[in-house]
Amino acid sequence: MIQNDQWIWVVVQDPGGNEQFLGQRDETRGISFIPVWLEKDAAQNGLNLLSRHAGSKYEVQAIQYETLAPKAAEEGFSLLVLDASGKVIEQVAP
């Protein structure tokens, strides 16, 4: 579904400081993942469904898939493409 040069939306924790992609853990599937969305509005809605650390700032940002995928794989994270309601559309294993 996702092309290498495609822009996707992710949540960045502590943007402008010690920023990192907001990862999640799905105990049912037994995976750690970075949630991604195909549209900014869906990402903004999906942000409310994610586990977050109190006191941290979060921002939805665009990134190219080909930039994110190797970084996620290097850290052992899958990518889960979600819709605005949090439903998994596609899973990209590391």
Side-chain angles (χ1 to χ4, degrees), residues 1-92:
M1 174 180 274
I2 298 178
Q3 306 299 315
N4 275 339
D5 62 348
Q6 183 173 345
W7 289 91
I8 54 177
W9 297 90
V10 297
V11 176
V12 175
Q13 181 177 330
D14 298 325
N18 186 22
E19 60 187 27
Q20 60 185 355
F21 300 113
L22 179 61
Q24 301 286 287
R25 177 78 184 157
D26 184 337
E27 295 299 336
T28 305
R29 294 175 188 222
I31 62 168
S32 295
F33 68 95
I34 297 173
V36 302
W37 295 267
L38 301 178
E39 298 175 5
K40 184 177 184 178
D41 289 341
Q44 294 283 17
N45 290 336
L47 174 59
N48 297 324
L49 304 173
L50 302 177
S51 297
R52 296 176 277 174
H53 300 282
S56 293
K57 182 178 176 185
Y58 297 91
E59 183 177 279
V60 172
Q61 295 183 6
I63 187 170
Q64 280 192 308
Y65 173 77
E66 64 189 356
T67 302
L68 177 61
K71 291 179 182 181
E74 185 177 293
E75 298 296 326
F77 282 83
S78 294
L79 298 178
L80 292 187
V81 182
L82 306 176
D83 67 11
S85 68
K87 180 182 173 190
V88 177
I89 300 171
E90 181 179 358
Q91 178 176 342
V92 181

